[in-house]
Amino acid sequence: HFQLRERLVKYAKLGGIVVFACQYSSRSKFTDMDKMFSKSWQLPWKCTAYTSQDLRLNTAVIGLNLSGLAKHFHGKAVHLKDVHRHQSIYVPVHDATCPVPKRKLDDLETSAAAFSTVGKGYVGYIGDVNGVDASNALVAAMCCTEGLQSAASASEKGPMQVSGSS
């Protein structure tokens, strides 16, 4: 779906929000996702593993309103690696008795959900495969990100609509 993907990238760069969520992570090959994030979005994100584990909200995320999001939850997700700390939304809890050490914003980490600026807009990824309440709230938070040029005014043709089957 190269042509659709390129239109989505253009849409985001003009001020739109594109979120890869729901069944995306469970229906796509890791190698295809890696190529897409690298070539189309110029992001270092790569799929690393499908795991079931406790996740915690990373409060160092930039560009996303975190109010109303779950502080932690247990999720089954396809995780990304090489995600900058300021782009990582939900990160694995390694040891509940020991707080995760503070790291510099440029550190790369593993993430079950990520969010990044792209031009005047954003691209998001949610690796959850079960559509739990915490992930559903995250989809809404990503789609309602404020401070952007609206996608409708960013494109001469109005907001992008995608329909039909693949």
Side-chain angles (χ1 to χ4, degrees):
H1 305 289
F2 177 77
Q3 290 177 336
L4 174 60
R5 184 173 59 234
E6 293 309 307
R7 288 184 67 198
L8 288 171
V9 171
K10 182 178 179 182
Y11 172 75
K13 286 182 176 181
L14 291 173
I17 302 168
V18 176
V19 179
F20 294 93
C22 303
Q23 295 296 308
Y24 177 77
S25 66
S26 63
R27 301 278 187 221
S28 300
K29 294 179 184 177
F30 283 18
T31 54
D32 292 342
M33 285 193 279
D34 292 352
K35 280 192 252 181
M36 180 204 57
F37 285 127
S38 174
K39 291 183 180 185
S40 295
W41 298 97
Q42 282 77 51
L43 291 167
W45 303 349
K46 293 177 190 70
C47 295
T48 183
Y50 166 66
T51 65
S52 175
Q53 65 190 117
D54 291 331
L55 303 167
R56 69 167 178 83
L57 183 65
N58 172 24
T59 57
V61 174
I62 297 173
L64 185 66
N65 182 349
L66 303 178
S67 64
L69 296 181
K71 302 290 182 218
H72 54 83
F73 72 99
H74 188 85
K76 291 182 181 180
V78 174
H79 290 250
L80 299 176
K81 67 179 180 176
D82 297 339
V83 178
H84 290 280
R85 180 161 165 72
H86 67 275
Q87 298 170 336
S88 296
I89 302 166
Y90 281 107
V91 295
V93 174
H94 299 288
D95 182 353
T97 63
C98 176
V100 176
K102 293 187 184 238
R103 291 175 261 184
K104 295 178 185 174
L105 284 179
D106 60 351
D107 282 353
L108 300 176
E109 60 189 3
T110 302
S111 182
F115 196 63
S116 179
T117 58
V118 176
K120 295 179 182 176
Y122 293 95
V123 62
Y125 169 84
I126 302 171
D128 175 49
V129 299
N130 290 331
V132 299
D133 289 343
S135 293
N136 294 337
L138 181 54
V139 170
M142 286 181 176
C143 291
C144 294
T145 297
E146 295 180 19
L148 306 175
Q149 176 181 351
S150 76
S153 65
S155 169
E156 295 174 5
K157 297 180 181 178
M160 169 150 314
Q161 296 179 353
V162 178
S163 61
S165 60
S166 4

